[in-house]
Amino acid sequence: MSEVEKRQNKKMQEKQREYQDFTFLANIMFKTLGYDFLDSARPSWQKALLRCYFFVCIASSSYEALFVALECLQVESVAGSPSKIMRRALHFFYMLSAAVKFVTLIIYRKRLRALILSLKELYPADESLRREYEVNRYYLPRSTRYVLYSYYLIMAVMAIGPLLQSFMMYFLKGHFPFLRTFPTQLCFSSDTPLGYAVAYFMDFTYSQFVVNVSVGADLWMMCVSSQICMHFGYLAKKLAAYLPSREREREDCEFLASLVQKHQLILRLHKEVNQMFGILLASNLFTTASLLCCIGFYTVVEGRNEEGMSYMIIFAVVSAQFYMVSSYGQRLIDLSSSISMAAYSQYWYDGSIRYKKDLLLIMARAQRPVEISAKGIIIISLDTFKILMTITYRFFAAMRQTVGK
């Protein structure tokens, strides 16, 4: 048996994923904040606990975000220190990105839930149909999952690291330095045991909120986009494999009619995705570019020390995060256009005149690819990612030349 046949047999034996597998990571990001997008059935006391923790996260995040904004307004405290300016700008843009995503998702939460349920109803029900749809092909790739796990691990280490470092210094040198995740000055002293415990808890919930919202919003976009891509891919596959015949004109036209109905339904669902995530991803492009510029510049200023290297790792992971989002936007464009290619590559010349005319209408519509865009201005695709990295490099080079590094 050849290697190709072995791979095909392995694919056939592989269990096809269920719909819950696609939504799990996105939902767990918000569920760990106390907010369940899918409103899963659970005892009332668990719902009460989740709701309480959610309000604690909101209160902590709002409180710390206020002091972050106030620090950014204190120009005299950072005058003459480019590294402090970039550090505060980095903190501000990271907070801004999470805030924009959170507000957008809360505004559209009912529509997002309805969209998720609609896609669940369209998901193939049995194993054989899932194989026909090739559902595993549209699940998060292993490389994407590794990037997400790495991102979350790095952020967790940065959140807990100062606390561990403080305890190590206490046991080794007998002095507790009260190190915190964020050096933001709050309205109370964090140099006492009680004040430090409260401040660190607020730092932890704030960092959890920022990271989970930032990653979770992108995961929801990738989740619903992958489902729409799956249906586009299935329609293209069905159309390409269909064999028309002049003797079966009515049957052929009924096939095209059913395909067009499914195509129109998927286009309506895509329109919902675009309305919910278009503006969000456009603002995400701006904040990500700002983040990358700040991280790159801050790393150069700090040099090859421990903090500089940690920010360099964050630079790579943030870039990879936006690349994942852009790749899903590109996949939507490619798979929606593949229907037109499938119509051309089938044996359309064996069909009737009416069949050919109907097929031309499908080809004409499929040649206009669907995309995620902010009112048609910024289209999320791999070209957008290239533009982002170009802007980041140019800003980085200009700032590096300005400070003489």
Side-chain angles (χ1 to χ4, degrees):
M1 187 181 290
S2 67
E3 287 296 322
V4 176
E5 289 175 337
K6 285 181 181 178
R7 256 187 249 116
Q8 287 176 346
N9 285 338
K10 189 177 179 181
K11 269 190 176 181
M12 289 298 294
Q13 293 171 1
E14 186 180 7
K15 183 172 172 29
Q16 300 299 300
R17 294 186 178 273
E18 298 181 0
Y19 185 74
Q20 289 77 6
D21 296 327
F22 286 86
T23 60
F24 175 77
L25 279 177
N27 196 36
I28 202 68
M29 285 293 167
F30 286 91
K31 200 181 284 188
T32 51
L33 291 174
Y35 190 82
D36 187 359
F37 258 104
L38 302 181
D39 197 20
S40 308
R42 64 179 72 251
S44 56
W45 65 270
Q46 288 185 11
K47 287 186 177 181
L49 283 177
L50 284 174
R51 196 167 292 134
C52 288
Y53 187 70
F54 178 66
F55 285 121
V56 167
C57 288
I58 294 294
S60 297
S61 303
S62 302
Y63 182 79
E64 292 227 12
L66 173 64
F67 282 91
V68 169
L70 289 175
E71 278 193 351
C72 291
L73 295 175
Q74 296 173 359
V75 181
E76 65 279 358
S77 63
V78 295
S81 176
S83 62
K84 282 186 179 180
I85 294 173
M86 286 298 163
R87 184 183 178 90
R88 288 193 182 179
L90 172 64
H91 195 175
F92 174 78
F93 282 118
Y94 207 67
M95 176 266 294
L96 179 65
S97 175
V100 170
K101 289 180 177 181
F102 177 72
V103 170
T104 304
L105 287 180
I106 290 300
I107 291 172
Y108 290 114
R109 66 188 183 280
K110 291 183 180 179
R111 289 175 64 180
L112 178 58
R113 189 177 298 161
L115 174 64
I116 293 166
L117 292 176
S118 297
L119 289 169
K120 184 178 181 180
E121 290 175 2
L122 290 173
Y123 194 79
D126 56 72
E127 185 76 10
S128 61
L129 195 56
R130 288 173 194 165
R131 290 188 189 281
E132 193 176 344
Y133 269 82
E134 299 179 287
V135 297
N136 286 359
R137 176 186 167 195
Y138 300 94
Y139 186 67
L140 287 174
R142 188 175 297 175
S143 58
T144 301
R145 280 175 276 160
Y146 286 161
V147 168
L148 292 171
Y149 299 152
S150 302
Y151 180 84
Y152 208 83
L153 179 62
I154 290 167
M155 292 301 178
V157 169
M158 292 185 70
I160 304 173
L163 179 64
L164 298 177
Q165 191 176 350
S166 296
F167 275 110
M168 286 179 64
M169 292 184 70
Y170 176 75
F171 287 120
L172 294 175
K173 299 183 179 179
H175 169 66
F176 197 86
F178 298 101
L179 299 176
R180 288 173 49 208
T181 308
F182 302 105
T184 310
Q185 184 64 44
L186 304 176
C187 65
F188 58 89
S189 175
S190 60
D191 294 334
T192 62
L194 180 59
Y196 180 72
V198 173
Y200 209 94
F201 175 76
M202 293 180 69
D203 283 353
F204 178 80
T205 52
Y206 172 58
S207 59
Q208 184 193 12
F209 176 84
V210 169
V211 172
N212 283 29
V213 169
S214 179
V215 176
D218 290 346
L219 279 172
W220 274 124
M221 176 266 172
M222 290 188 280
C223 169
V224 295
S225 296
S226 67
Q227 290 296 298
I228 290 174
C229 286
M230 180 185 74
H231 290 292
F232 279 137
Y234 178 72
L235 290 177
K237 179 181 175 182
K238 287 272 288 183
L239 186 58
Y242 189 75
L243 299 173
S245 172
R246 292 180 180 86
E247 289 75 29
R248 292 184 288 107
E249 179 181 299
R250 183 177 178 181
E251 185 181 336
D252 293 345
C253 291
E254 286 176 354
F255 166 77
L256 287 184
S258 64
L259 188 139
V260 168
Q261 287 176 351
K262 181 74 175 287
H263 189 229
Q264 288 176 341
L265 174 60
I266 302 305
L267 288 175
R268 285 196 295 271
L269 294 177
H270 162 262
K271 188 177 180 181
E272 279 288 295
V273 174
N274 194 36
Q275 288 178 352
M276 283 186 282
F277 291 97
I279 299 293
L280 185 149
L281 290 176
S283 66
N284 191 24
L285 173 64
F286 168 74
T287 52
T288 302
S290 305
L291 276 172
L292 293 179
C293 292
C294 293
I295 293 172
F297 180 73
Y298 186 76
T299 304
V300 170
V301 171
E302 288 299 307
R304 295 183 180 179
N305 58 18
E306 182 181 347
E307 191 171 17
M309 293 304 294
S310 66
Y311 276 100
M312 199 65 219
I313 294 172
I314 295 174
F315 179 92
V317 176
V318 170
S319 301
Q321 183 183 355
F322 194 79
Y323 175 81
M324 291 186 305
V325 172
S326 301
S327 67
Y328 274 82
Q330 185 67 48
R331 203 174 188 186
L332 267 175
I333 294 171
D334 295 340
L335 284 170
S336 62
S337 302
S338 68
I339 294 176
S340 178
M341 182 58 67
Y344 177 77
S345 63
Q346 69 159 210
Y347 296 103
W348 52 267
Y349 40 81
D350 289 337
S352 64
I353 298 296
R354 183 183 169 191
Y355 178 84
K356 294 173 185 176
K357 287 180 179 179
D358 291 347
L359 195 62
L360 276 174
L361 294 175
I362 294 175
M363 291 179 68
R365 176 58 189 90
Q367 283 176 348
R368 302 197 307 271
V370 303
E371 55 201 19
I372 297 179
S373 65
K375 305 298 182 183
I377 300 171
I378 301 174
I379 298 171
I380 304 302
S381 64
L382 290 180
D383 287 336
T384 309
F385 178 75
K386 293 176 188 175
I387 293 170
L388 170 68
M389 299 311 294
T390 302
I391 292 171
T392 303
Y393 174 76
R394 287 178 179 173
F395 175 85
F396 170 69
M399 294 298 290
R400 186 178 182 181
Q401 187 176 9
T402 301
V403 299
K405 286 280 183 177

